Amino acid sequence: MRAVDAGGAGEGVQRGIEMIENPQNVNRVFLIKENPFIDEAISVIKSLKFLSTGGPSIEDCEKLKKISSGKCSKETKETIITFMKKFGKLYKKDFPDLLEDLWEFESNANANRKRRDHVCHSFHVWCLGLWLYRNGFSRYINAVTNSENKFYFVWYLTAFYHDVGYINRHDLHGGDSAQILLSRLNKIFSGKWTPDAIHAFVAICLHDKNNYQVDLVKDPYSALLIICDEIQEWGRYIPKHERIYEINKLKFQNNFNDQSPKLDIKLYYQMTSLADTTDFNKYVDKKQKSFDEKFQKNKRLTQINVHVECQKCS
């Protein structure tokens, strides 16, 4: 693959506003039903003046606002895929319809067993990553990607295509996802590709390798994808035996200093009126144990302490 400078991957995109940490978001509780991270995505589009460069329209943004935080319907998936394609056109290329392939696979693979959704999930991962970038994570990203526009391009690839490898029916799908995306993009760009895209391929390849340690400073894209991918479960279909209770609120406390960066995340689960209290407590404890194993046990992320705490809504 011959690497070129950003070339066709960002010439038409205008320089955005400076991304600085927003102190109003530190220690803030977000209500998932209010779609705060979708609002962040819309803010990014407007601040970068994408509306005037052939990207998503005002109408597209209004449709995003209507996406339910607790439902992943056919209409929602169509809205997301349409938006994804228009966002890709900002880089003057028609990007492969890999999410459509994934949607078709999930719909047809087994009619008797609904699979975990990855279309709505990829969109919410993208939105969540934008929020984290604009609230402190940019200091690590910008050290390896020297412009905001390149971040938006690389994160677009990373978030939207990190799970497409599931169409190969492998549980460890990261490597397949990266290979599929690389192969198709090489055909589109005739092998002439920006070196920044390598960050997306690496992050996608590593995001499901639980025993592989990722360095925040050297590989912030992989760190960002792991964090967003692990905690994102609202607004997607998950079979009942895997998810019984919904996340109602989410809270971040960021301390991205140079000596010992730390990210505390609290997920608040709400017990439904028909739920059994004992089962609910067991479920929350199980989720907590799962996050401990993913983030703490194997020290999966180095140079940053990520602590995810599961709590019951009061």
Side-chain angles (χ1 to χ4, degrees):
M1 180 180 73
R2 179 187 170 193
V4 298
D5 197 9
E11 294 174 331
V13 183
Q14 300 181 37
R15 175 73 177 173
I17 61 174
E18 182 182 1
M19 298 305 175
I20 59 175
E21 186 165 355
N22 183 356
Q24 294 180 345
N25 284 328
V26 175
N27 216 29
R28 174 183 168 190
V29 175
F30 296 91
L31 290 175
I32 296 299
K33 65 181 181 181
E34 295 179 355
N35 288 329
F37 307 113
I38 293 179
D39 290 342
E40 191 74 24
I42 294 173
S43 173
V44 167
I45 295 167
K46 291 181 177 179
S47 68
L48 294 177
K49 301 180 181 179
F50 283 176
L51 299 174
S52 62
T53 57
S57 65
I58 294 177
E59 182 181 359
D60 294 321
C61 292
E62 291 301 315
K63 288 182 178 179
L64 291 185
K65 290 182 180 180
K66 297 178 181 179
I67 290 178
S68 170
S69 61
K71 184 178 181 181
C72 187
S73 64
K74 177 182 178 182
E75 181 181 4
T76 295
K77 292 181 180 181
E78 290 174 345
T79 297
I80 288 172
I81 289 176
T82 298
F83 172 85
M84 178 204 72
K85 289 180 178 179
K86 290 187 177 182
F87 195 93
K89 288 183 180 296
L90 292 168
Y91 305 104
K92 300 183 178 181
K93 289 289 181 180
D94 292 323
F95 280 79
D97 301 332
L98 292 175
L99 276 187
E100 288 182 304
D101 295 342
L102 182 58
W103 181 9
E104 182 178 0
F105 166 74
E106 292 176 345
S107 300
N108 300 330
N110 190 335
N112 296 321
R113 175 179 176 267
K114 285 192 174 182
R115 295 176 176 269
R116 289 169 63 92
D117 154 75
H118 293 92
V119 177
C120 296
H121 166 66
S122 298
F123 171 73
H124 288 298
V125 164
W126 179 71
C127 294
L128 185 56
L130 294 179
W131 186 92
L132 283 169
Y133 175 77
R134 287 163 66 106
N135 287 276
F137 225 89
S138 59
R139 67 169 61 194
Y140 306 108
I141 295 290
N142 292 346
V144 299
T145 307
N146 60 9
S147 79
E148 293 161 14
N149 289 333
K150 287 182 179 179
F151 163 73
Y152 293 121
F153 166 65
V154 175
W155 185 242
Y156 167 81
L157 294 180
T158 304
F160 277 119
Y161 297 123
H162 74 278
D163 279 339
V164 296
Y166 273 115
I167 61 178
N168 286 349
R169 301 174 184 268
H170 296 155
D171 291 334
L172 289 177
H173 56 283
D176 287 344
S177 298
Q179 185 58 47
I180 290 171
L181 178 60
L182 178 60
S183 176
R184 295 200 185 185
L185 291 183
N186 272 336
K187 292 179 181 179
I188 291 175
F189 287 90
S190 301
K192 299 178 181 179
W193 194 241
T194 168
D196 295 287
I198 298 298
H199 295 299
F201 301 131
V202 172
I204 291 171
C205 188
L206 297 180
H207 83 276
D208 62 343
K209 308 298 188 294
N210 291 334
N211 294 322
Y212 190 94
Q213 292 186 335
V214 171
D215 189 300
L216 168 68
V217 175
K218 296 179 180 179
D219 190 6
Y221 280 99
S222 291
L224 184 60
L225 179 59
I226 288 171
I227 293 169
C228 296
D229 186 51
E230 293 293 357
I231 68 172
Q232 200 292 309
E233 63 179 59
W234 56 90
R236 66 186 301 203
Y237 174 83
I238 298 178
K240 289 183 178 180
H241 71 278
E242 294 185 29
R243 182 190 64 185
I244 305 174
Y245 306 100
E246 297 277 358
I247 293 176
N248 184 48
K249 295 185 292 185
L250 184 149
K251 183 178 181 180
F252 287 107
Q253 187 164 5
N254 315 336
N255 183 19
F256 293 137
N257 59 59
D258 295 330
Q259 288 74 33
S260 56
K262 185 177 181 181
L263 177 62
D264 287 326
I265 305 169
K266 292 185 179 180
L267 306 178
Y268 295 85
Y269 290 85
Q270 181 145 22
M271 184 176 69
T272 62
S273 58
L274 299 178
D276 179 86
T277 303
T278 301
D279 289 341
F280 177 63
N281 292 337
K282 287 181 179 179
Y283 180 81
V284 174
D285 290 342
K286 181 180 179 181
K287 293 293 293 187
Q288 181 65 59
K289 182 179 179 181
S290 175
F291 283 120
D292 288 343
E293 290 179 349
K294 290 175 179 177
F295 285 111
Q296 306 298 329
K297 184 177 179 181
N298 298 318
K299 296 183 178 179
R300 190 177 179 192
L301 298 178
T302 64
Q303 297 196 8
I304 182 173
N305 179 26
V306 178
H307 176 67
V308 183
E309 183 177 340
C310 299
Q311 293 194 352
K312 293 166 282 189
C313 288
S314 56

